[in-house]
């Protein structure tokens, strides 16, 4: 006697959409001339990794990360209504330089926006790829719980606070970062569905990004003493990061293309983090896309770290460069290459009037 056993049917996971993005740039628009007056004779300044943007925006001294998120969310409230934001179930934030390292930004963002979310998570890792990682986390929560709406926020706020210190502003890499904040609204719907996400972790590279005092000191960053703290770079580190970055972003982007069954040439818009011009060119060419398909905010904003993807996506959308139904691919790598992420979305939010 034979018997056929049928596997139990499982319901497909509900679709999750990135229905809108918005962004904020501080008012203080800083030209490169600000830094050239302090520049030192440093051969690293000639490295392609540190070729300066024309402008960058710097936070005001009394401007907090929560202020930046609140200002970035304002356009979402205008477009979707205050109720759509106040009813958010999931709040995820990534802040480059937390104002309160004990608490993080999430609780204060929720209070400021009048939210009562079931989930409040401060995402500290994933750096320049944090927007993609937060999309992945939000999608997982929305698909596996009763939550229906998520707000994600990536804030870069160390350019005007760390890179303008008297001992730091003359370094080769000081003119490259800029400040800004980008936010995304996700819903359990198929309005602008997330088609696929890939997140790759490379812990072997985690120790190559350091935070150290200038001049070099062995003190911990919170201890009083000699020097001002900043990201530490050496020529050896730069060479390694450049080689990894060239490889990691196309690698994870192509993995998403393979997951959703498309060729890279079928992508309508590629949005990446914005570290420097050479990375942008190399990534675009690796994906066989044109400059028009790869929005670029580098010369206006500099390297926005985790805020680079949402700010650039919002800018391109407001400029009318992303039509409804477009295939949008976001990709980035973080720090010295310890994390890379990419996400594909069938865009559904047209340009803002």
């Amino acid at each position: 006697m034979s018997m056929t056993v049928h596997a139990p049917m499982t319901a497909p996971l509900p679709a999750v959409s990135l229905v809108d993005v918005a962004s904020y740039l501080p008012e203080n628009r800083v030209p490169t001339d600000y830094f050239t007056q302090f520049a030192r004779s440093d051969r690293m300044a000639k490295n392609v990794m540190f070729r300066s943007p024309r402008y960058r925006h710097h936070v005001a001294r009394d401007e907090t990360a929560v202020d930046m998120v609140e200002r970035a969310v304002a356009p979402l409230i205008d477009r979707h209504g205050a109720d759509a934001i106040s009813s958010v179930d999931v709040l995820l934030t990534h802040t480059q330089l937390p104002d309160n390292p004990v608490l993080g930004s999430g609780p204060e963002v929720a209070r400021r926006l009048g939210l009562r979310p079931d989930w409040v998570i401060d995402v500290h890792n994933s750096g320049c790829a944090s927007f993609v990682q937060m999309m992945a986390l939000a999608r997982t929560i929305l698909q596996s719980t009763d939550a229906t709406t998520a707000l994600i926020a990536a804030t870069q706020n160390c350019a005007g606070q760390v890179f303008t210190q008297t001992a730091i502003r003359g370094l080769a890499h000081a003119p490259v970062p800029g400040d800004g904040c980008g936010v995304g609204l996700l819903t359990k719907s198929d309005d602008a569905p997330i088609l696929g996400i890939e997140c790759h972790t490379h812990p072997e590279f985690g120790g190559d990004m350091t935070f150290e005092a200038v001049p070099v000191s062995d003190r911990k960053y919170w201890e009083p003493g000699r020097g001002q703290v900043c990201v530490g770079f050496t020529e050896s580190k730069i060479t390694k990061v450049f080689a990894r970055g060239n490889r990691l972003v196309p690698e994870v982007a192509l993995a998403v293309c393979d997951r959703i069954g498309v060729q890279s040439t079928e992508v309508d818009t590629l949005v990446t983090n914005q570290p420097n011009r050479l990375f942008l060119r190399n990534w675009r060419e690796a994906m066989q896309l044109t400059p028009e398909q790869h929005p670029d905010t580098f010369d206006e904003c500099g390297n926005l770290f985790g805020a680079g993807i949402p700010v650039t996506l919002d800018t391109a959308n407001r400029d009318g460069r992303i039509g409804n139904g477009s295939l949008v691919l976001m990709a980035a790598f973080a720090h010295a290459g310890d994390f890379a992420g990419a996400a594909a979305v069938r865009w559904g939010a047209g340009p803002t009037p």
Side-chain angles (χ1 to χ4, degrees):
M1 179 179 177
S2 62
M3 182 175 62
T4 302
V5 178
H6 298 281
M9 296 291 289
T10 57
L13 293 173
V16 173
S17 293
L18 177 65
V19 295
D20 206 354
V21 292
S23 62
Y24 163 76
L25 297 174
E27 292 182 3
N28 187 18
R29 186 170 182 254
V30 182
T32 298
D33 289 349
Y34 167 81
F35 290 96
T36 56
Q37 63 182 314
F38 307 114
R40 304 173 186 175
S41 177
D42 187 343
R43 69 180 189 177
M44 280 207 298
K46 300 177 181 178
N47 193 291
V48 293
M49 287 280 284
F50 299 141
R51 289 180 185 167
S52 300
R54 295 174 185 171
Y55 297 96
R56 75 284 298 139
H57 296 252
H58 282 173
V59 295
R61 191 178 188 281
D62 60 351
E63 188 171 28
T64 69
V66 177
D67 293 334
M68 297 174 73
V69 174
E70 185 177 28
R71 290 160 186 165
V73 170
L76 296 182
I77 295 175
D78 291 341
R79 292 195 286 267
H80 301 273
D83 289 346
I85 303 303
S86 63
S87 62
V88 159
D89 304 299
V90 180
L91 174 64
L92 306 179
T93 64
H94 171 88
T95 307
Q96 190 69 27
L97 187 66
D99 298 298
N100 184 337
V102 177
L103 183 62
S105 297
E108 176 61 15
V109 168
R111 187 194 68 79
R112 191 83 64 88
L113 295 177
L115 312 182
R116 302 287 294 186
D118 295 325
W119 299 77
V120 179
I121 303 174
D122 286 299
V123 180
H124 188 65
N125 70 321
S126 65
C128 296
S130 59
F131 195 75
V132 173
Q133 188 190 38
M134 287 189 290
M135 285 178 62
L137 290 171
R139 184 176 69 157
T140 297
I141 295 170
L142 294 183
Q143 288 179 329
S144 58
T145 71
D146 292 334
T148 61
T149 310
L151 178 67
I152 61 177
T155 304
Q156 149 57 2
N157 60 340
C158 68
Q161 300 188 92
V162 173
F163 289 90
T164 56
Q165 295 177 99
T166 55
I168 308 301
R169 62 193 180 189
L171 298 179
H173 55 288
V176 180
D179 292 324
C181 178
V183 297
L185 182 64
L186 292 85
T187 63
K188 190 181 289 185
S189 71
D190 59 0
D191 296 333
I194 299 171
L195 305 176
I197 299 181
E198 287 277 338
C199 291
H200 296 174
T201 301
H202 302 276
E204 65 273 21
F205 304 141
D208 290 344
M209 181 62 69
T210 58
F211 194 60
E212 58 194 40
V214 178
V216 175
S217 168
D218 62 357
R219 71 176 179 86
K220 293 180 172 62
Y221 74 85
W222 63 82
E223 294 176 332
R226 179 171 171 264
Q228 297 171 1
V229 292
C230 187
V231 174
F233 278 105
T234 65
E235 290 189 80
S236 174
K237 286 183 183 179
I238 294 167
T239 301
K240 292 176 182 178
V241 172
F242 188 70
R244 291 170 192 161
N246 274 334
R247 172 177 59 85
L248 290 172
V249 170
E251 181 180 88
V252 74
L254 290 171
V256 170
C257 289
D258 184 63
R259 176 182 288 272
I260 65 175
V262 302
Q263 300 295 315
S264 68
T265 51
E266 296 177 68
V267 171
D268 296 302
T269 303
L270 172 67
V271 183
T272 63
N273 60 314
Q274 307 275 307
N276 57 59
R277 297 184 188 92
L278 191 55
F279 267 141
L280 293 172
R281 186 200 71 187
N282 291 349
W283 293 338
R284 179 174 65 245
E285 291 180 352
M287 298 295 290
Q288 302 180 66
L289 298 173
T290 66
E292 291 71 30
Q293 293 172 290
H294 187 200
D296 174 2
T297 57
F298 180 74
D299 265 333
E300 174 59 32
C301 302
N303 184 358
L304 286 171
F305 300 3
I309 284 179
V311 169
T312 305
L313 180 57
D314 178 47
T315 301
N317 187 49
R318 287 187 287 108
D319 289 344
R321 296 178 59 181
I322 308 176
N324 285 351
S326 296
L327 178 58
V328 176
L329 182 62
M330 294 162 265
F333 83 103
H335 310 127
D338 61 278
F339 184 85
V345 174
R346 184 65 66 184
W347 191 248
T352 302

